[in-house]
Amino acid sequence: MLRKQAQIATDHVAFEAFYRRHVDAVTRFLARRVDDPHTVADLVAEVFMAVLDSAHTYRAELGSEIAWLYGVARNRLSTERRRSFKEWRLTSRVSGRRPLDSDDIAKLEERIDAERPARQIFMAMADLPEGERAVLELVVIDQLTVTEAAMALGIRPGTAKVRLHRARRTLRALPFVMEGTRG
């Protein structure tokens, strides 16, 4: 698998197959966290550009391709949020976006609308500590295993299990408990 992953950086056919296999999952992942179609489109592109640079770092024994991609996507999203905040502080408006045609915007708006319930769940989880919230998002919303979530976050599986348990315990005490957090 490692060889296959490294191959996507140099073989455009292998990269295209990898992209087609995972683009919908990465787009859903980002649309759950971002409500602007331009930003979602840009982040999806950035994730796959980052994959070209870091394909050699994938280790199949640590988790699935999708767990690795979600880790890349989380990093790109964090970078984008920091950049956006700095830009907002300096200019108070977002700029520098590439134009999307109306079909692209319509598709991304549909995806964003479909992911609205997940964004509402994220708001309910806003008071959780970052580490607990991140594990909960990846396991409950993004459907990764605890081990895969640990890989995406760069932590040990045992640490991820503890954080998930704490997050679930905290959410059970809230009046709004999302489906799938009990267990």
Side-chain angles (χ1 to χ4, degrees):
M1 185 62 97
L2 175 61
R3 187 175 196 173
K4 179 179 154 189
Q5 289 311 109
Q7 183 183 14
I8 66 173
T10 57
D11 179 351
H12 76 297
V13 173
F15 177 77
E16 182 177 351
F18 179 84
Y19 175 85
R20 289 181 187 275
R21 194 167 53 247
H22 297 297
V23 68
D24 286 339
V26 171
T27 303
R28 281 191 307 273
F29 179 90
L30 292 165
R32 282 191 282 269
R33 291 158 173 83
V34 177
D35 63 359
D36 176 65
H38 293 279
T39 303
V40 172
D42 289 347
L43 287 170
V44 168
E46 288 178 21
V47 166
F48 285 98
M49 291 297 292
V51 162
L52 288 173
D53 291 335
S54 63
H56 66 281
T57 67
Y58 173 71
R59 300 289 183 263
E61 66 274 8
L62 297 178
S64 66
E65 289 177 343
I66 200 66
W68 176 65
L69 274 169
Y70 284 175
V72 173
R74 282 182 58 80
N75 290 337
R76 294 306 313 141
L77 182 57
S78 292
T79 299
E80 171 58 21
R81 286 181 173 157
R82 284 190 305 273
R83 184 207 60 78
S84 182
F85 180 72
K86 287 177 185 176
E87 186 174 303
W88 173 79
R89 275 192 341 217
L90 295 174
T91 66
S92 73
R93 73 174 238 208
V94 179
S95 63
R97 294 184 175 149
R98 70 173 178 82
L100 296 174
D101 65 32
S102 59
D103 287 342
D104 290 336
I105 291 173
K107 287 176 187 174
L108 286 171
E109 285 175 340
E110 286 176 20
R111 178 64 53 88
I112 289 167
D113 286 343
E115 300 300 339
R116 181 172 285 123
R119 285 194 306 279
Q120 291 170 338
I121 292 169
F122 285 136
M123 290 188 318
M125 298 179 343
D127 291 333
L128 291 175
E130 169 59 27
E132 292 175 20
R133 185 175 60 246
V135 172
L136 188 67
E137 288 175 6
L138 291 170
V139 172
V140 175
I141 297 172
D142 297 312
Q143 300 295 302
L144 294 183
T145 65
V146 174
T147 302
E148 290 172 331
M151 177 192 177
L153 296 170
I155 60 175
R156 293 187 311 240
T159 303
K161 287 177 186 176
V162 169
R163 289 179 182 178
L164 181 61
H165 172 75
R166 288 178 181 160
R168 285 177 168 164
R169 186 181 62 214
T170 301
L171 286 179
R172 280 189 201 109
L174 298 176
F176 171 78
V177 179
M178 62 187 177
E179 186 75 22
T181 60
R182 294 197 182 271

